[in-house]
Amino acid sequence: MTTEIAAGARGTTTGPVPATSMAAAGEAVTASPTASASEKTLLVLEAALTHSRFTEVVEATGLAKATTHRILGTLVDRRFVTVSADGSYLPGPKILSLAGRALQRIDISAIARPFVDDLVEASHCTIHLGVVNGDEIIYLIRADSDKPYQMPSRVGLSIPMHSTGIGKVVLAGYTDDELERFVARAGLPYRTEHTLTRLDALRAEIAVVRQVGYALDREENVPGLGCVAAPIRDHTGTVKYGVSVSTLTLEHTIEQIEAMAPLAVETANRISTALGYLP
């Protein structure tokens, strides 16, 4: 089981990188010789939103100075871009208004569902996606595998942060001071004999999560259940969500569960990209 999963995870990284993935990673995308007027406009808009100076916009797009200047003038006139007192380009009120409206319409469940379904197929385990709600995590998605059993979980269920994989990846995004304030507010209540109920133990666990990029639940929340979870970042880079691969420890050892970490991390990264996160 472990070998099969690891091989599958490696297989997802082979082959050429699509152009869209390269753009998502922040690489410059210049105009092709046959680019249409609309493509050039979009390139200049993207460059103006990520670069502050005219020369940087020209270099990023690969367009002629005259063409870039003309398109920028239109974008400024239509308030998609604005110019500061020192001549720097900034997002204009039109683009900010549209961005705000788009963010209000984001449905994380709808965006994440195809990636979650792929993870179910790859892992043959139950997949959860949760969101931060105060000092707890709430499940937004539970996707079951083809196994003859179901997890004792449901959409809308609140779970602790200190004893769950999704909760730990969220806590890993906190500063040390924020982590201490969280513990002061929420405490570290006992759930099972494996629950981390001391601040120093939780600190050590979170340090490992930050280092490896994923978190384990070693029967810490429900006896007999384990999971590996990865952080999902929104467009600002904030970890507000997490995705986990959950299974019975009778079926998978903790080592086998941890071997599925690459699958969880890849899925989380794909969802983060779909939410607008650019590393």
Side-chain angles (χ1 to χ4, degrees):
M1 180 68 177
T2 303
T3 303
E4 179 182 350
I5 291 171
R10 288 194 299 270
T12 59
T13 61
T14 58
V17 179
T20 52
S21 297
M22 294 173 65
E27 297 190 14
V29 180
T30 57
S32 69
T34 59
S36 65
S38 58
E39 289 173 326
K40 292 177 182 178
T41 300
L42 290 173
L43 283 172
V44 172
L45 175 59
E46 181 178 357
L49 295 175
T50 54
H51 300 80
S52 60
R53 312 305 297 182
F54 177 75
T55 54
E56 295 172 342
V57 176
V58 172
E59 183 179 355
T61 61
L63 295 171
K65 291 183 179 180
T67 301
T68 304
H69 189 272
R70 174 176 52 79
I71 295 174
L72 280 170
T74 300
L75 293 173
V76 171
D77 289 342
R78 297 300 298 269
R79 302 197 304 161
F80 285 92
V81 174
T82 189
V83 184
S84 66
D86 66 355
S88 298
Y89 293 106
L90 299 169
K94 187 70 171 180
I95 201 75
L96 294 174
S97 175
L98 290 173
R101 294 180 187 180
L103 290 173
Q104 290 178 352
R105 297 182 61 184
I106 286 178
D107 182 348
I108 177 67
S109 296
I111 291 173
R113 189 71 203 206
F115 305 113
V116 167
D117 290 342
D118 287 346
L119 186 52
V120 171
E121 185 175 353
S123 66
H124 300 285
C125 294
T126 297
I127 309 303
H128 294 101
L129 186 145
V131 62
V132 177
N133 182 48
D135 289 330
E136 295 180 312
I137 299 293
I138 291 182
Y139 285 140
L140 297 179
I141 295 177
R142 188 193 81 176
D144 294 316
S145 68
D146 53 1
K147 298 297 173 63
Y149 59 81
Q150 291 187 345
M151 294 287 155
S153 59
R154 57 178 172 79
V155 172
L157 179 68
S158 296
I159 58 174
M161 294 178 71
H162 70 291
S163 59
T164 58
I166 294 178
K168 289 179 188 176
V169 295
V170 170
L171 291 176
Y174 287 14
T175 66
D176 291 340
D177 288 343
E178 288 171 337
L179 182 63
E180 288 192 19
R181 289 196 294 270
F182 160 78
V183 173
R185 290 192 310 269
L188 299 174
Y190 175 94
R191 301 281 293 184
T192 76
E193 61 179 332
H194 303 287
T195 305
L196 302 177
T197 57
R198 300 194 324 272
L199 177 57
D200 59 341
L202 181 62
R203 276 205 199 102
E205 177 81 353
I206 295 304
V208 173
V209 175
R210 290 169 180 160
Q211 180 179 10
V212 300
Y214 59 86
L216 292 170
D217 168 4
R218 308 172 186 85
E219 299 186 70
E220 297 161 52
N221 196 56
V222 177
L225 300 184
C227 85
V228 59
I232 298 172
R233 293 172 171 82
D234 65 11
H235 68 287
T236 68
T238 303
V239 180
K240 293 183 178 179
Y241 313 95
V243 63
S244 67
V245 181
S246 301
T247 184
L248 300 178
T249 52
L250 285 175
E251 184 174 7
H252 296 91
T253 65
I254 295 300
E255 291 74 22
Q256 288 174 326
I257 294 172
E258 186 169 11
M260 290 187 274
L263 293 175
V265 170
E266 181 193 15
T267 299
N269 290 342
R270 292 170 68 193
I271 297 172
S272 298
T273 299
L275 291 175
Y277 172 64
L278 298 178

